[in-house]
Amino acid sequence: MHVVLVSTYELGRQPFGLASPAACLRQNGFDVTCQDLAVENLDRGAIATAGLVCCYVPMHTATRLAAKVLQRVRSINAAAALCCYGLYAPLNSEYLRGLGASTILGGEFENGLVELATQLAARTNGDPLPARTLVSLDRQEFAVPDRSDLPGLEQYAKLRVGSEQKLVGYTEASRGCKHLCRHCPIVPVYGGAFRIVQPQVALADIRHQVARGAQHITFGDPDFFNGPTHSLRIVDSLHREFPDLTYDVTIKVEHLLQHRCHLTKLRDTGCLFVTCAVESVDDDVLCRLAKNHTRQDFFEVVDLARQMGIVLNPTFVAFTPWTSAAGYIDLLHVVENLGLQDFVAPVQYAIRLLITRGSRLLELEDIRCRVGAFDEEKLVYPWCHPNPRMDSLQRRLLGVIDRAQCENASRREIFDLVRNATSHCLGVEASCDRRDQDSASPAVTIPYLTEPWYC
């Protein structure tokens, strides 16, 4: 049987979520075609001959894009069974089933895809499969991802260091997360569990990508230090085999402080930067999000990273129902006082809190009272800020940032545009007192990935 795996968007990365199940399905005798619609057009011929089409939905944007893809697939091949899998599939199972996906898989999905394909291949009649939603947290033995029919790395986001660009590979050493942050979409699926990819599998995956030109690797783990012993074993082996290869990881503020003794290991094995979901510099907002760190913890992490010679890439949820005008201006002051204008990706100044199905944010009474009915098209619970100027500011900043990036403005230049737009929108001076900036750094060259979006 012919199986088509489709990805719509994954942050400019070559999708592990296609390559990993493709390997498992091929090992079990299935003919598999991978389609990454972020960089290539849908292959109508492949869809027309498929007995099973599976759409990978690891994030919010990917899920919204998948809706149109499922409609196109159904118009090309009405007989094919449809499946959606990935983090956002079980969160939006009713919606996706309404688009024709009879099977919804979440968590550790590789074995479920093989079982589904096997069941379909064994059918002796054309009866449709019963609707099923399965979230599996079973520990599994991964196959080495098969990227043989995915577009080349040159078609994906690059690593930029000054004027130099490098090809970037992508892999995962673990899935899920040990933590229960209220706004995180991982929590409703994994519930505080995380599962590792065997070190030999991750290393083999990286090895294959290096052979295809990768000069830098992004580890897509939600938190690289959920299992620090496991993660450090991988980067030790990686550095021994490829001493010139660099990489980046994502680690919580809490873990950077808790495992500070391991930061020199990251630096010395080629970690070029660490993405850190700071989310806010307001302790009240951090408490509501259950981030388990404070404003002062973030300041300490910034100092620690500088002492260790590690580049920090902070990310924020800049607009929440609790973000006041003064609080947003304070965020800009913090970025400027800490000299982080070159370190923060501009879109972070305009990220707005998403409240998805199953979100732990709905545990909060003030959120339940504030949100409207679930929006089946946007796949969120809509909310409005109690101060309409804050919603207007967020929309304006998105436009300012988008235009500035199209004009190749620097991060520092965009920060100044954001600050000026904020002053104009709120009618309050958002400039920082320059006398308070003793710790600020001059403009520096910061490595970053060229994909500008984050959700």
Side-chain angles (χ1 to χ4, degrees):
M1 186 179 67
H2 184 200
V3 180
V4 177
L5 303 178
V6 178
S7 175
T8 56
Y9 177 66
E10 197 181 7
L11 295 168
R13 304 158 171 169
Q14 191 187 68
F16 183 93
L18 293 192
S20 177
C24 295
L25 287 161
R26 286 167 179 151
Q27 284 182 358
N28 283 273
F30 294 101
D31 175 29
V32 179
T33 298
C34 292
Q35 286 268 274
D36 186 359
L37 304 188
V39 295
E40 60 183 340
N41 295 323
L42 186 69
D43 184 341
R44 293 178 62 90
I47 297 297
T49 61
L52 171 63
V53 178
C54 305
C55 203
Y56 177 49
V57 288
M59 52 194 301
H60 183 261
T61 300
T63 311
R64 292 190 64 188
L65 292 171
K68 293 183 179 179
V69 173
L70 290 172
Q71 292 168 0
R72 290 179 63 194
V73 168
R74 180 58 74 219
S75 70
I76 296 168
N77 184 349
L82 300 184
C83 167
C84 287
Y85 69 100
L87 193 63
Y88 272 74
L91 299 184
N92 298 286
S93 59
E94 293 180 16
Y95 172 74
L96 295 170
R97 190 166 289 116
L99 296 171
S102 58
T103 304
I104 306 296
L105 301 176
E108 305 302 283
F109 47 73
E110 283 84 354
N111 289 341
L113 288 170
V114 172
E115 291 171 7
L116 173 61
T118 301
Q119 183 180 3
L120 284 168
R123 282 194 308 173
T124 58
N125 55 51
D127 293 341
L129 290 175
R132 181 177 72 148
T133 297
L134 174 64
V135 176
S136 173
L137 300 184
D138 291 346
R139 291 175 171 82
Q140 60 180 358
E141 290 292 325
F142 284 80
V144 176
D146 185 346
R147 302 174 182 272
S148 58
D149 64 337
L150 284 169
L153 296 179
E154 66 279 358
Q155 297 192 49
Y156 293 91
K158 311 294 192 303
L159 173 74
R160 178 169 290 170
V161 185
S163 60
E164 184 182 10
Q165 286 195 351
K166 295 184 177 182
L167 294 184
V168 177
Y170 173 80
T171 196
E172 297 174 3
S174 66
R175 289 190 185 136
C177 187
K178 294 164 65 174
H179 300 272
L180 300 172
C181 303
R182 279 200 178 96
H183 63 304
C184 180
I186 297 170
V187 175
V189 177
Y190 280 88
F194 87 107
R195 297 290 179 258
I196 67 166
V197 177
Q198 288 73 33
Q200 67 274 15
V201 172
L203 289 166
D205 187 29
I206 294 169
R207 194 175 295 121
H208 292 165
Q209 293 180 79
V210 170
R212 289 165 173 77
Q215 301 161 290
H216 178 90
I217 297 294
T218 290
F219 284 95
D221 308 43
D223 192 307
F224 201 62
F225 275 177
N226 269 323
T229 301
H230 166 69
S231 301
L232 293 173
R233 183 179 297 127
I234 289 174
V235 297
D236 262 335
S237 298
L238 180 65
H239 187 63
R240 282 195 298 270
E241 187 169 354
F242 302 107
D244 296 326
L245 188 69
T246 57
Y247 64 91
D248 68 270
V249 297
T250 297
I251 303 176
K252 284 172 62 72
V253 169
E254 173 187 0
H255 282 169
L256 289 171
L257 295 177
Q258 181 181 351
H259 301 296
R260 66 181 70 201
C261 60
H262 297 316
L263 298 188
T264 53
K265 173 74 72 176
L266 294 181
R267 180 196 64 200
D268 294 344
T269 55
C271 183
L272 212 53
F273 60 90
V274 175
T275 298
C276 190
V278 180
E279 314 301 36
S280 177
V281 295
D282 183 316
D283 282 334
D284 179 60
V285 175
L286 290 169
C287 182
R288 290 170 186 268
L289 297 180
K291 284 300 298 179
N292 207 28
H293 72 256
T294 66
R295 173 188 179 98
Q296 188 58 42
D297 289 337
F298 170 51
F299 294 166
E300 186 175 347
V301 160
V302 171
D303 287 340
L304 181 63
R306 285 183 173 144
Q307 293 167 15
M308 296 291 184
I310 290 176
V311 172
L312 198 66
N313 173 34
T315 64
F316 299 100
V317 180
F319 288 87
T320 75
W322 315 289
T323 305
S324 66
Y328 186 78
I329 291 170
D330 178 56
L331 170 63
L332 299 183
H333 285 178
V334 166
V335 170
E336 193 166 9
N337 273 325
L338 294 177
L340 294 175
Q341 301 99 311
D342 298 303
F343 294 76
V344 178
V347 73
Q348 296 301 321
Y349 302 121
I351 294 291
R352 194 171 192 271
L353 181 68
L354 295 180
I355 305 178
T356 62
R357 282 202 190 276
S359 173
R360 286 193 64 221
L361 288 166
L362 297 168
E363 298 171 359
L364 302 176
E365 184 176 357
D366 63 338
I367 287 292
R368 292 196 302 272
C369 293
R370 189 179 304 279
V371 299
F374 189 77
D375 188 322
E376 291 286 357
E377 180 183 351
K378 296 181 179 178
L379 302 180
V380 294
Y381 287 95
W383 60 270
C384 294
H385 197 281
N387 179 354
R389 290 191 304 171
M390 294 302 291
D391 288 334
S392 296
L393 174 62
Q394 190 267 339
R395 290 191 294 268
R396 178 166 182 177
L397 292 182
L398 274 179
V400 166
I401 292 165
D402 184 57
R403 287 190 297 273
Q405 289 183 325
C406 289
E407 295 169 359
N408 294 318
S410 70
R411 287 183 169 187
R412 191 166 289 237
E413 289 169 338
I414 297 176
F415 176 85
D416 289 339
L417 292 172
V418 166
R419 183 180 55 196
N420 293 340
T422 300
S423 294
H424 184 269
C425 267
L426 299 181
V428 178
E429 180 57 52
S431 295
C432 187
D433 185 346
R434 300 285 171 173
R435 293 172 299 177
D436 294 336
Q437 294 190 73
D438 294 338
S439 62
S441 303
V444 292
T445 300
I446 302 299
Y448 64 94
L449 300 176
T450 56
E451 172 59 42
W453 198 239
Y454 282 81
C455 66

